[in-house]
Amino acid sequence: MLQRLLITRRIYPEALARLEPAFEVVHNQDTDIPFTPEQLAAHLARSDYLFSTVADRLDASVLGAASSLRLVAQGAVGINNIDLAHCAAHGIAVTNTPGVLDETTADFAWALMMATARRIPESERAVRDGQWKGWAFDQFAGVDIHGATLGILGMGRIGSAIARRAQGFGMEVLFHNRTPSDSALARYVGKADLLARADFVIVVVPYTPQTHHLIRAEDLAQMKSSACLINIARGGVVDDAALVAALASGRIRAAGLDVFEHEPALHPGFLELQNVVLTPHIASSSRATRLAMQNLAIDNLLAHRAGAPLKTPVALPGSTLEHKTSV
Ligand code: GLV
């Protein structure tokens, strides 16, 4: 008998075609409307496998109903939406998609940094609104990226890919991780030093209880007033209310944000400001990379089904696997 697999969001047809022979698939391909927690719990009560995304809140209240669930194959590298302790206690394996999205996500960090520094969305809005009356010296004057100092908070695979790109722009690159380490691409400094010296601060750490509000009012107060903050990590790593206040008062120059504390809801203050660039959690969203993420999740689902080793297991609390969740 085929095992039941719940897929929470639409996936590419060629990815779905790999799953349909192996599982009885339940999905919302047609509407792609997210399940409510109640719907998710009801589906999970009848599922053996789950193909999840970052937008599914898989806490104990939802997973509690999932008595036959064996594997959560997350189609993302971040796994902060999953109650790992619950999974460990109930014998549910978890996998994620490290590696396949690093370069695309690093490209996007640069896109967001450039859009923020050079005020591209703001100036584009003005052109569309018919406000461009002619060339002027001080029109939408931005700040230079080349030759500036870049500070990377979280030098994992994606952080390193961002640092590599910075070489071509002649930047000085600083980084900070919880554990001091060496990098051929950048210089390790303390967090306060990084915040005080960087012209651009990019946040690339996983979201954990330790990184909750890693950037709060007192951290923003340490940054240069000319500096820009870029968050491609997770909402919650930055205190959005504190950031709105810092942007509104000119405490820092600008921000580029792909993730938000309560996404898809935004702190309303962001919408009032011109010096923030807002994108809807799309850093890994090139078609090729989103397909690669889906295929890696599927490789894990098919491996589990066949009794083979999982390709990219997440270490669960109490397991001896190396922790594979850093970005
Ligand atoms: C996206 O946010 C991911 O974690 O892959």
Side-chain angles (χ1 to χ4, degrees):
M1 205 185 74
L2 289 181
Q3 306 256 296
R4 283 174 71 107
L5 163 66
L6 175 67
I7 308 178
T8 62
R9 301 311 301 268
R10 180 156 46 218
I11 61 173
Y12 289 119
E14 58 267 52
L16 187 60
R18 292 183 64 203
L19 290 167
E20 279 175 336
F23 297 95
E24 181 189 336
V25 179
V26 176
H27 57 70
N28 59 356
Q29 281 296 112
D30 304 330
T31 63
D32 202 23
I33 295 171
F35 294 119
T36 63
E38 294 73 26
Q39 289 169 330
L40 201 49
H43 280 301
L44 283 178
R46 287 176 276 113
S47 300
D48 307 293
Y49 290 89
L50 172 63
F51 184 154
S52 59
T53 73
V54 293
D56 304 312
R57 183 179 288 272
L58 298 171
D59 55 23
S61 72
V62 166
L63 290 171
S67 53
S68 53
L69 189 64
R70 294 142 184 250
L71 171 67
V72 177
Q74 168 99 333
V77 65
I79 40 145
N80 55 293
N81 57 311
I82 306 171
D83 184 336
L84 297 181
H86 180 99
C87 290
H90 292 82
I92 303 168
V94 178
T95 60
N96 66 340
T97 64
V100 294
L101 47 74
D102 299 346
E103 300 299 326
T104 297
T105 303
D107 284 352
F108 188 84
W110 272 83
L112 197 50
M113 184 160 71
M114 293 182 123
T116 304
R118 299 302 304 273
R119 305 172 63 180
I120 292 175
E122 185 189 355
S123 58
E124 206 254 3
R125 281 193 295 273
V127 171
R128 280 181 191 275
D129 290 352
Q131 290 169 21
W132 188 29
K133 303 296 177 219
W135 191 93
F137 268 111
D138 59 354
Q139 227 164 32
F140 294 105
V143 283
D144 284 328
I145 291 183
H146 70 270
T149 299
L150 174 63
I152 300 176
L153 277 174
M155 191 71 145
R157 291 179 305 267
I158 297 171
S160 303
I162 292 169
R164 271 202 317 279
R165 285 157 174 75
Q167 314 300 310
F169 283 79
M171 297 181 98
E172 180 186 15
V173 187
L174 311 173
F175 76 100
H176 179 76
N177 281 348
R178 257 192 308 165
T179 316
S181 58
D182 289 329
S183 163
L185 300 163
R187 192 142 54 84
Y188 181 88
V189 291
K191 180 183 164 196
D193 208 8
L194 183 147
L195 292 174
R197 290 173 54 192
D199 300 303
F200 296 91
V201 174
I202 301 195
V203 183
V204 210
V205 294
Y207 185 48
T208 65
Q210 291 72 38
T211 61
H212 177 71
H213 287 185
L214 180 72
I215 299 292
R216 58 186 79 199
E218 49 267 44
D219 303 294
L220 295 162
Q222 290 177 51
M223 289 173 64
K224 295 182 186 175
S225 57
S226 55
C228 301
L229 178 75
I230 309 296
N231 185 7
I232 56 156
R234 274 294 181 275
V237 175
V238 174
D239 178 342
D240 282 354
L243 180 57
V244 165
L247 290 167
S249 66
R251 180 64 215 69
I252 66 167
R253 178 185 180 89
L257 307 174
D258 188 46
V259 286
F260 305 89
E261 269 197 277
H262 305 291
E263 61 185 59
L266 295 186
H267 188 297
F270 286 133
L271 299 175
E272 313 272 305
L273 296 168
Q274 290 297 329
N275 57 344
V276 61
V277 179
L278 309 168
T279 54
H281 203 146
I282 54 168
S284 64
S285 188
S286 70
R287 191 186 193 280
T289 291
R290 286 283 165 92
L291 181 61
M293 291 161 70
Q294 292 175 12
N295 273 326
L296 183 48
I298 291 167
D299 291 345
N300 281 307
L301 287 161
L302 295 176
H304 193 288
R305 186 77 188 91
L310 297 171
K311 272 184 100 167
T312 48
V314 167
L316 296 180
S319 107
T320 52
L321 272 177
E322 188 197 336
H323 212 280
K324 290 198 170 159
T325 59
S326 78
V327 292

